[in-house]
Amino acid sequence: MNVADSEIKSLLESYKKITVYGLSQDLSKPSHYVPAYIRDKGWEVVGTYPKEHSVGGFKIYKSLEEVPKEDRKFIDVFRSSDKVPEVIDEILSLGGTEVIWLQLGICHPEAEKKAEDAGIRVVSNRCLIIEHRNYF
């Protein structure tokens, strides 16, 4: 993680569009209720999920590649830690991402370093709800 605690608030203030990688259709999963919370707090949220769904009224794309480039600047990742290297590789291959946020319990130091070396700001093992409540 190359974002200091003191930078979290300004980071969240700087980006008002978030793409959620793995936005679930299951309302009880963090990968659904965290994006819903953030949207309710004023952020524009779109998601990716391999199966089509419209649960929660989110715009869902089947792949990150389908997400418009201007909406991929801040990507919030809900994938297991062992999947992070392939997610980072996909993000890097598409370009345009400035921030990768790995949700609470998700980290992969080697993949994070690869993203950091490519100039991307990385937050890992942090929950957007918790951080929002800390600063707003």
Short mmCIF file of all heavy atoms in Angstrom, two decimals, residues 79-122:
data_model
loop_
_atom_site.label_atom_id
_atom_site.label_comp_id
_atom_site.label_asym_id
_atom_site.label_seq_id
_atom_site.Cartn_x
_atom_site.Cartn_y
_atom_site.Cartn_z
N ARG A 79 -12.17 -9.20 -4.86
CA ARG A 79 -11.72 -10.52 -5.31
C ARG A 79 -10.79 -11.05 -4.23
O ARG A 79 -10.15 -10.27 -3.52
CB ARG A 79 -10.97 -10.44 -6.65
CG ARG A 79 -11.81 -9.98 -7.81
CD ARG A 79 -12.76 -11.03 -8.33
NE ARG A 79 -11.97 -12.05 -8.97
CZ ARG A 79 -12.39 -13.29 -9.19
NH1 ARG A 79 -13.57 -13.65 -8.81
NH2 ARG A 79 -11.62 -14.16 -9.78
N SER A 80 -10.68 -12.35 -4.13
CA SER A 80 -9.81 -12.92 -3.10
C SER A 80 -8.36 -12.56 -3.38
O SER A 80 -7.97 -12.28 -4.52
CB SER A 80 -9.99 -14.44 -3.04
OG SER A 80 -9.66 -15.02 -4.28
N SER A 81 -7.57 -12.54 -2.32
CA SER A 81 -6.16 -12.12 -2.43
C SER A 81 -5.40 -12.91 -3.49
O SER A 81 -4.56 -12.35 -4.19
CB SER A 81 -5.47 -12.26 -1.07
OG SER A 81 -6.00 -11.32 -0.16
N ASP A 82 -5.71 -14.20 -3.64
CA ASP A 82 -4.98 -15.01 -4.62
C ASP A 82 -5.33 -14.62 -6.06
O ASP A 82 -4.59 -14.95 -6.99
CB ASP A 82 -5.22 -16.50 -4.39
CG ASP A 82 -6.67 -16.91 -4.59
OD1 ASP A 82 -7.57 -16.25 -4.06
OD2 ASP A 82 -6.90 -17.93 -5.29
N LYS A 83 -6.42 -13.90 -6.27
CA LYS A 83 -6.81 -13.44 -7.61
C LYS A 83 -6.28 -12.05 -7.93
O LYS A 83 -6.39 -11.58 -9.06
CB LYS A 83 -8.34 -13.43 -7.74
CG LYS A 83 -9.00 -14.77 -7.52
CD LYS A 83 -8.67 -15.72 -8.62
CE LYS A 83 -9.47 -17.02 -8.44
NZ LYS A 83 -8.99 -18.08 -9.28
N VAL A 84 -5.72 -11.37 -6.95
CA VAL A 84 -5.26 -10.00 -7.14
C VAL A 84 -4.22 -9.87 -8.26
O VAL A 84 -4.30 -8.93 -9.06
CB VAL A 84 -4.78 -9.37 -5.81
CG1 VAL A 84 -4.04 -8.06 -6.03
CG2 VAL A 84 -5.96 -9.17 -4.88
N PRO A 85 -3.23 -10.78 -8.38
CA PRO A 85 -2.26 -10.60 -9.47
C PRO A 85 -2.92 -10.55 -10.86
O PRO A 85 -2.56 -9.69 -11.68
CB PRO A 85 -1.35 -11.83 -9.35
CG PRO A 85 -1.40 -12.16 -7.89
CD PRO A 85 -2.83 -11.89 -7.49
N GLU A 86 -3.90 -11.41 -11.11
CA GLU A 86 -4.54 -11.37 -12.43
C GLU A 86 -5.40 -10.12 -12.59
O GLU A 86 -5.49 -9.56 -13.68
CB GLU A 86 -5.33 -12.64 -12.71
CG GLU A 86 -6.54 -12.86 -11.85
CD GLU A 86 -7.17 -14.24 -12.03
OE1 GLU A 86 -6.46 -15.24 -11.92
OE2 GLU A 86 -8.38 -14.28 -12.27
N VAL A 87 -6.00 -9.64 -11.51
CA VAL A 87 -6.78 -8.40 -11.57
C VAL A 87 -5.85 -7.22 -11.87
O VAL A 87 -6.15 -6.39 -12.74
CB VAL A 87 -7.56 -8.16 -10.25
CG1 VAL A 87 -8.20 -6.77 -10.24
CG2 VAL A 87 -8.62 -9.23 -10.04
N ILE A 88 -4.72 -7.16 -11.19
CA ILE A 88 -3.74 -6.08 -11.43
C ILE A 88 -3.24 -6.14 -12.86
O ILE A 88 -3.15 -5.10 -13.54
CB ILE A 88 -2.55 -6.18 -10.43
CG1 ILE A 88 -3.02 -6.01 -8.99
CG2 ILE A 88 -1.44 -5.19 -10.81
CD1 ILE A 88 -3.47 -4.65 -8.58
N ASP A 89 -2.94 -7.33 -13.35
CA ASP A 89 -2.48 -7.45 -14.74
C ASP A 89 -3.54 -6.94 -15.72
O ASP A 89 -3.22 -6.25 -16.69
CB ASP A 89 -2.11 -8.89 -15.07
CG ASP A 89 -0.80 -9.33 -14.44
OD1 ASP A 89 -0.01 -8.46 -14.00
OD2 ASP A 89 -0.55 -10.56 -14.39
N GLU A 90 -4.79 -7.27 -15.46
CA GLU A 90 -5.88 -6.80 -16.32
C GLU A 90 -5.98 -5.27 -16.27
O GLU A 90 -6.10 -4.61 -17.31
CB GLU A 90 -7.21 -7.43 -15.88
CG GLU A 90 -8.40 -7.02 -16.72
CD GLU A 90 -9.69 -7.64 -16.26
OE1 GLU A 90 -9.73 -8.36 -15.24
OE2 GLU A 90 -10.71 -7.37 -16.94
N ILE A 91 -5.92 -4.72 -15.08
CA ILE A 91 -5.99 -3.26 -14.92
C ILE A 91 -4.84 -2.59 -15.66
O ILE A 91 -5.03 -1.61 -16.38
CB ILE A 91 -6.00 -2.89 -13.42
CG1 ILE A 91 -7.34 -3.30 -12.78
CG2 ILE A 91 -5.73 -1.39 -13.22
CD1 ILE A 91 -7.36 -3.22 -11.26
N LEU A 92 -3.65 -3.11 -15.49
CA LEU A 92 -2.47 -2.53 -16.15
C LEU A 92 -2.57 -2.63 -17.67
O LEU A 92 -2.17 -1.71 -18.39
CB LEU A 92 -1.19 -3.18 -15.65
CG LEU A 92 -0.84 -2.90 -14.19
CD1 LEU A 92 0.41 -3.69 -13.79
CD2 LEU A 92 -0.65 -1.43 -13.93
N SER A 93 -3.10 -3.74 -18.17
CA SER A 93 -3.20 -3.91 -19.62
C SER A 93 -4.20 -2.93 -20.25
O SER A 93 -4.03 -2.53 -21.40
CB SER A 93 -3.59 -5.35 -19.97
OG SER A 93 -4.96 -5.60 -19.69
N LEU A 94 -5.21 -2.54 -19.49
CA LEU A 94 -6.22 -1.61 -20.02
C LEU A 94 -5.81 -0.14 -19.89
O LEU A 94 -6.21 0.69 -20.69
CB LEU A 94 -7.56 -1.83 -19.29
CG LEU A 94 -8.22 -3.17 -19.56
CD1 LEU A 94 -9.40 -3.37 -18.62
CD2 LEU A 94 -8.65 -3.27 -21.01
N GLY A 95 -5.02 0.16 -18.87
CA GLY A 95 -4.57 1.53 -18.66
C GLY A 95 -5.66 2.45 -18.13
O GLY A 95 -6.84 2.08 -18.06
N GLY A 96 -5.24 3.64 -17.73
CA GLY A 96 -6.17 4.66 -17.29
C GLY A 96 -6.52 4.65 -15.82
O GLY A 96 -7.20 5.56 -15.34
N THR A 97 -6.08 3.64 -15.08
CA THR A 97 -6.42 3.57 -13.65
C THR A 97 -5.40 4.33 -12.83
O THR A 97 -4.19 4.21 -13.05
CB THR A 97 -6.50 2.09 -13.20
OG1 THR A 97 -7.53 1.44 -13.95
CG2 THR A 97 -6.81 1.98 -11.72
N GLU A 98 -5.90 5.10 -11.88
CA GLU A 98 -5.04 5.90 -11.01
C GLU A 98 -5.02 5.37 -9.58
O GLU A 98 -4.05 5.58 -8.86
CB GLU A 98 -5.52 7.36 -11.02
CG GLU A 98 -5.43 7.99 -12.40
CD GLU A 98 -6.08 9.36 -12.49
OE1 GLU A 98 -6.57 9.90 -11.47
OE2 GLU A 98 -6.12 9.90 -13.61
N VAL A 99 -6.12 4.71 -9.16
CA VAL A 99 -6.23 4.19 -7.80
C VAL A 99 -6.80 2.78 -7.84
O VAL A 99 -7.80 2.53 -8.53
CB VAL A 99 -7.16 5.06 -6.93
CG1 VAL A 99 -7.34 4.46 -5.54
CG2 VAL A 99 -6.65 6.49 -6.84
N ILE A 100 -6.16 1.88 -7.11
CA ILE A 100 -6.70 0.54 -6.87
C ILE A 100 -6.92 0.42 -5.37
O ILE A 100 -6.01 0.63 -4.59
CB ILE A 100 -5.75 -0.57 -7.36
CG1 ILE A 100 -5.55 -0.47 -8.87
CG2 ILE A 100 -6.30 -1.94 -6.96
CD1 ILE A 100 -4.49 -1.40 -9.42
N TRP A 101 -8.15 0.10 -5.00
CA TRP A 101 -8.52 -0.07 -3.60
C TRP A 101 -8.86 -1.53 -3.39
O TRP A 101 -9.80 -2.05 -4.00
CB TRP A 101 -9.73 0.82 -3.29
CG TRP A 101 -10.12 0.85 -1.84
CD1 TRP A 101 -10.66 -0.18 -1.11
CD2 TRP A 101 -10.02 1.96 -0.96
NE1 TRP A 101 -10.88 0.24 0.18
CE2 TRP A 101 -10.51 1.55 0.30
CE3 TRP A 101 -9.57 3.28 -1.11
CZ2 TRP A 101 -10.57 2.40 1.39
CZ3 TRP A 101 -9.62 4.11 -0.02
CH2 TRP A 101 -10.12 3.68 1.22
N LEU A 102 -8.09 -2.21 -2.56
CA LEU A 102 -8.36 -3.61 -2.23
C LEU A 102 -9.10 -3.63 -0.90
O LEU A 102 -8.58 -3.13 0.11
CB LEU A 102 -7.05 -4.40 -2.14
CG LEU A 102 -6.16 -4.36 -3.39
CD1 LEU A 102 -4.85 -5.10 -3.12
CD2 LEU A 102 -6.86 -4.95 -4.59
N GLN A 103 -10.27 -4.19 -0.90
CA GLN A 103 -11.14 -4.16 0.27
C GLN A 103 -10.55 -4.91 1.46
O GLN A 103 -9.56 -5.64 1.34
CB GLN A 103 -12.51 -4.74 -0.09
CG GLN A 103 -13.41 -3.73 -0.78
CD GLN A 103 -13.86 -2.62 0.14
OE1 GLN A 103 -14.14 -2.79 1.31
NE2 GLN A 103 -13.93 -1.42 -0.41
N LEU A 104 -11.18 -4.73 2.60
CA LEU A 104 -10.76 -5.35 3.86
C LEU A 104 -10.54 -6.85 3.68
O LEU A 104 -11.38 -7.54 3.12
CB LEU A 104 -11.83 -5.09 4.92
CG LEU A 104 -11.43 -5.37 6.37
CD1 LEU A 104 -10.27 -4.48 6.80
CD2 LEU A 104 -12.63 -5.13 7.29
N GLY A 105 -9.37 -7.31 4.10
CA GLY A 105 -9.02 -8.72 3.99
C GLY A 105 -8.36 -9.09 2.68
O GLY A 105 -7.98 -10.24 2.47
N ILE A 106 -8.19 -8.12 1.79
CA ILE A 106 -7.61 -8.39 0.47
C ILE A 106 -6.27 -7.67 0.35
O ILE A 106 -6.18 -6.45 0.53
CB ILE A 106 -8.55 -7.93 -0.66
CG1 ILE A 106 -9.91 -8.58 -0.52
CG2 ILE A 106 -7.92 -8.24 -2.02
CD1 ILE A 106 -10.96 -8.02 -1.46
N CYS A 107 -5.24 -8.45 0.08
CA CYS A 107 -3.92 -7.87 -0.16
C CYS A 107 -3.06 -8.88 -0.91
O CYS A 107 -3.31 -10.08 -0.88
CB CYS A 107 -3.25 -7.44 1.14
SG CYS A 107 -2.91 -8.78 2.27
N HIS A 108 -2.08 -8.37 -1.60
CA HIS A 108 -1.10 -9.19 -2.31
C HIS A 108 0.11 -8.30 -2.56
O HIS A 108 0.16 -7.57 -3.56
CB HIS A 108 -1.68 -9.72 -3.62
CG HIS A 108 -0.86 -10.82 -4.20
ND1 HIS A 108 0.37 -10.60 -4.78
CD2 HIS A 108 -1.09 -12.15 -4.26
CE1 HIS A 108 0.86 -11.76 -5.20
NE2 HIS A 108 0.00 -12.71 -4.90
N PRO A 109 1.08 -8.30 -1.63
CA PRO A 109 2.20 -7.36 -1.71
C PRO A 109 2.92 -7.31 -3.06
O PRO A 109 3.24 -6.21 -3.54
CB PRO A 109 3.14 -7.83 -0.59
CG PRO A 109 2.23 -8.48 0.40
CD PRO A 109 1.16 -9.15 -0.43
N GLU A 110 3.16 -8.45 -3.68
CA GLU A 110 3.89 -8.45 -4.96
C GLU A 110 3.06 -7.76 -6.06
O GLU A 110 3.59 -6.95 -6.81
CB GLU A 110 4.27 -9.87 -5.39
CG GLU A 110 5.26 -10.55 -4.46
CD GLU A 110 4.60 -11.20 -3.24
OE1 GLU A 110 3.36 -11.36 -3.21
OE2 GLU A 110 5.35 -11.53 -2.29
N ALA A 111 1.79 -8.09 -6.13
CA ALA A 111 0.93 -7.48 -7.15
C ALA A 111 0.74 -5.99 -6.87
O ALA A 111 0.72 -5.17 -7.80
CB ALA A 111 -0.42 -8.19 -7.21
N GLU A 112 0.61 -5.64 -5.60
CA GLU A 112 0.48 -4.24 -5.24
C GLU A 112 1.71 -3.46 -5.69
O GLU A 112 1.60 -2.36 -6.23
CB GLU A 112 0.29 -4.09 -3.73
CG GLU A 112 -1.04 -4.60 -3.23
CD GLU A 112 -1.14 -4.60 -1.72
OE1 GLU A 112 -0.73 -3.60 -1.09
OE2 GLU A 112 -1.63 -5.60 -1.16
N LYS A 113 2.89 -4.03 -5.47
CA LYS A 113 4.14 -3.37 -5.88
C LYS A 113 4.18 -3.17 -7.39
O LYS A 113 4.61 -2.13 -7.87
CB LYS A 113 5.36 -4.15 -5.41
CG LYS A 113 6.67 -3.51 -5.86
CD LYS A 113 7.81 -3.83 -4.99
CE LYS A 113 9.13 -3.21 -5.37
NZ LYS A 113 9.18 -2.17 -6.35
N LYS A 114 3.71 -4.17 -8.12
CA LYS A 114 3.66 -4.06 -9.58
C LYS A 114 2.79 -2.87 -10.00
O LYS A 114 3.17 -2.09 -10.87
CB LYS A 114 3.11 -5.36 -10.18
CG LYS A 114 3.17 -5.43 -11.67
CD LYS A 114 2.75 -6.81 -12.14
CE LYS A 114 2.93 -6.97 -13.63
NZ LYS A 114 2.57 -8.32 -14.09
N ALA A 115 1.65 -2.71 -9.35
CA ALA A 115 0.77 -1.57 -9.65
C ALA A 115 1.42 -0.26 -9.25
O ALA A 115 1.38 0.73 -9.99
CB ALA A 115 -0.57 -1.75 -8.94
N GLU A 116 2.04 -0.26 -8.07
CA GLU A 116 2.73 0.95 -7.60
C GLU A 116 3.84 1.35 -8.54
O GLU A 116 4.01 2.53 -8.86
CB GLU A 116 3.26 0.72 -6.18
CG GLU A 116 2.16 0.60 -5.14
CD GLU A 116 2.64 0.08 -3.79
OE1 GLU A 116 3.86 -0.20 -3.64
OE2 GLU A 116 1.80 -0.05 -2.89
N ASP A 117 4.60 0.37 -9.01
CA ASP A 117 5.70 0.64 -9.94
C ASP A 117 5.19 1.22 -11.26
O ASP A 117 5.93 1.92 -11.96
CB ASP A 117 6.51 -0.63 -10.21
CG ASP A 117 7.35 -1.06 -9.01
OD1 ASP A 117 7.49 -0.28 -8.05
OD2 ASP A 117 7.85 -2.22 -9.03
N ALA A 118 3.93 0.94 -11.57
CA ALA A 118 3.31 1.48 -12.79
C ALA A 118 2.68 2.86 -12.54
O ALA A 118 2.04 3.42 -13.42
CB ALA A 118 2.25 0.51 -13.30
N GLY A 119 2.86 3.40 -11.31
CA GLY A 119 2.38 4.74 -11.00
C GLY A 119 0.97 4.80 -10.44
O GLY A 119 0.38 5.88 -10.34
N ILE A 120 0.43 3.66 -10.05
CA ILE A 120 -0.92 3.61 -9.50
C ILE A 120 -0.87 3.70 -7.98
O ILE A 120 -0.02 3.09 -7.34
CB ILE A 120 -1.63 2.32 -9.95
CG1 ILE A 120 -1.78 2.31 -11.47
CG2 ILE A 120 -3.00 2.18 -9.26
CD1 ILE A 120 -2.33 1.03 -12.04
N ARG A 121 -1.78 4.47 -7.41
CA ARG A 121 -1.89 4.55 -5.95
C ARG A 121 -2.67 3.33 -5.49
O ARG A 121 -3.71 3.00 -6.07
CB ARG A 121 -2.58 5.85 -5.56
CG ARG A 121 -1.78 7.04 -6.13
CD ARG A 121 -2.27 8.34 -5.70
NE ARG A 121 -1.87 8.49 -4.29
CZ ARG A 121 -2.37 9.40 -3.49
NH1 ARG A 121 -3.30 10.22 -3.91
NH2 ARG A 121 -1.97 9.49 -2.25
N VAL A 122 -2.19 2.67 -4.46
CA VAL A 122 -2.79 1.42 -4.00
C VAL A 122 -3.14 1.52 -2.52
O VAL A 122 -2.32 1.91 -1.69
CB VAL A 122 -1.84 0.22 -4.22
CG1 VAL A 122 -2.46 -1.06 -3.68
CG2 VAL A 122 -1.49 0.07 -5.70
#
